[in-house]
Amino acid sequence: MTRPLEIDDLYSIRTPSDPQLSPDGRTIAFVITSADRDEDEDQSSIYTVPVTGGEQTRLTQGTHDSAPRWSPDGALLAFVAVRGEGGKPQIFVLPAAGGEARALTELPLGAGEPVWSPDGSKLAFTAA
């Protein structure tokens, strides 16, 4: 027997968004967002999954990560993340195979979604 959706059910829903196909067409990077009851906020991290299906891999351990963007050669993922209490969104980059992310920006008002140059040597973004 089914039951109506209840408010508490919302905390178990994980919503995927912003799928980005890797340059070689084999992997999808995407964001999963879920509600955190204790913090009373949405939290998001970046994952990858093979196009053919299979196990998803969590790439970022942050709770406010978004906008994954593949480098043209597929070796790196740039993304936007908020780190620290009261932090502003900044651009980070990490190896597509996983590893430690490193910050590329430290702007006082934060940075917007990154876009790679065609040769992968630069990132463009908006900022206040």
Side-chain angles (χ1 to χ4, degrees), residues 9-71:
D9 295 329
L10 297 176
Y11 294 105
S12 65
I13 296 174
R14 295 167 27 121
T15 307
S17 64
D18 199 8
Q20 300 291 318
L21 187 62
S22 65
D24 66 6
R26 295 182 183 171
T27 307
I28 300 169
F30 61 100
V31 177
I32 289 185
T33 303
S34 59
D36 184 298
R37 179 191 308 261
D38 296 334
E39 297 295 325
D40 192 28
E41 66 183 8
D42 284 345
Q43 297 191 347
S44 56
S45 295
I46 297 172
Y47 291 74
T48 59
V49 68
V51 169
T52 57
E55 201 66 30
Q56 66 187 20
T57 302
R58 185 173 179 175
L59 285 185
T60 64
Q61 300 305 311
T63 57
H64 296 89
D65 302 340
S66 63
R69 300 296 182 259
W70 295 96
S71 62

Side-chain angles (χ1 to χ4, degrees), residues 79 81 83 90-94 100-107 123:
F79 64 99
R83 299 286 190 260
Q90 304 294 337
I91 295 177
F92 288 73
V93 75
L94 80 154
E100 196 66 34
R102 62 183 168 94
L104 295 183
T105 62
E106 291 183 21
L107 301 170
L123 281 168

Side-chain angles (χ1 to χ4, degrees), residues 96-122:
E100 196 66 34
R102 62 183 168 94
L104 295 183
T105 62
E106 291 183 21
L107 301 170
L109 298 178
E113 293 181 11
V115 178
W116 289 93
S117 65
D119 68 359
S121 66
K122 297 175 184 67

